[in-house]
Structure formats: C-alpha cells, structure tokens
Amino acid sequence: ENVILSGLHGKLGTCKLEKIDKYSKFKLNQIIQEIGLEKLTKTPYGKLSEGQRRKVLIARALAHEPDVLVLDEPTAHLDISSQHELIILLEQLCRQGKTLVTVTHNLDLINKETHRVLLLKSGEIVGDGSPIEELTSSKLSKLYNSPLKVICSNGYWRIIPEIS
C-alpha cells in the first residue's frame, strides 16, 4: 500500500500523525483491485517476488492516471509464469484504454492488443507499422543479422533461429 500511495504523494510512507485522506484511500483500493493485488496489501515490498514487485510498480505508476505508461523490458528476469501474468495485466490495461510504450527485445511481450511496432537499429527507425507488417522473418533476420523464423499463434509472437 505504501509503495502505491507513494505514486500519489511523491514520498514513501506516512508519519504517525498523517492520515490517508478519503480520496487517496479510494484511489488506492481502486488500483489494488484493478491490478489484482488484494492478497498482497499487507506484505512488505521487500518480501514480494520479482513478478509481484513489477505489478506493484505498475500500480504505483497508475496512481496519477497517466495517458501513457512507458515500460522498459518489463518481463526481464521473470519466470515464465510471472511473464504470462504480466502480459495478461498489460493486455487488460490496453483494453481499458491505456496506451503502453514498451521497449523490448522479447517478442513474447508483444501481445494481442499491440497496434504498432517500431523496429530500431543503431538508434534509427528501420520499421514502423502493425505487428503483422513488421514482425516478419525477413525483417527481423535483417534487424538482428541472423536467420530467424517468426511465428504468430493466437495473437502471440515467437522467434526461433532458422537452422539450415
């Protein structure tokens, strides 16, 4: 709760004399339910798993109702289960109208709700369009200087080496 509230108040924790105002409490509960953190509200941040921490930090970022969330490799160092949970959460946020800008090398993170992909190489945009236009075997092979095969299944993307 304190970490999420820090997104509203710009500081971590409250002193003993401070009380959480009704709006902050309402907003906190709303975000906790939206992200599905009800079971973790009394758990110290340091005791959370890495996947749970990511969700708490996303909840903190949502405290000010931003128009855009910028995420840099949000699934890095997460186990497969935590990656899937995070991808589902990000899809849910997209369906609720949030715009996500995600920087990733991991095609698994490009979810069903993704409408636009930018391909960058050496700081230059080398591709800009829909996932179906940009995430092709030939374009990604050229991007990474390696023969690759791209597969899309049920709206989720995978990349595998093309071995002759």
Side-chain angles (χ1 to χ4, degrees), residues 15-104:
C15 74
K16 291 180 181 180
L17 299 176
E18 286 182 296
K19 291 192 176 193
I20 300 171
D21 61 74
K22 287 181 183 182
Y23 173 77
S24 296
K25 191 65 173 170
F26 169 79
K27 195 74 185 143
L28 173 67
N29 289 328
Q30 183 183 33
I31 293 169
I32 285 171
Q33 287 188 356
E34 181 179 346
I35 304 299
L37 299 171
E38 298 89 348
K39 294 179 181 177
L40 303 175
T41 58
K42 301 301 180 198
T43 306
Y45 184 77
K47 301 276 185 189
L48 298 175
S49 71
E50 192 60 35
Q52 291 167 332
R53 288 179 188 187
R54 302 280 168 93
K55 287 181 181 180
V56 169
L57 293 175
I58 288 171
R60 181 185 189 276
L62 292 172
H64 280 291
E65 300 178 12
D67 293 329
V68 178
L69 279 179
V70 179
L71 305 166
D72 186 10
E73 300 287 358
T75 59
H77 310 294
L78 296 182
D79 62 39
I80 291 173
S81 176
S82 295
Q83 287 180 21
H84 290 173
E85 286 181 26
L86 191 59
I87 289 167
I88 290 167
L89 171 61
L90 297 177
E91 287 176 351
Q92 171 189 326
L93 292 173
C94 288
R95 284 191 298 274
Q96 293 171 358
K98 298 286 183 212
T99 298
L100 304 181
V101 175
T102 306
V103 177
T104 187

Side-chain angles (χ1 to χ4, degrees), residues 1-12 31 57 59-65:
E1 290 180 341
N2 283 335
V3 173
I4 297 169
L5 282 171
S6 72
L8 282 172
H9 299 290
K11 64 179 183 173
L12 188 57
I31 293 169
L57 293 175
R60 181 185 189 276
L62 292 172
H64 280 291
E65 300 178 12

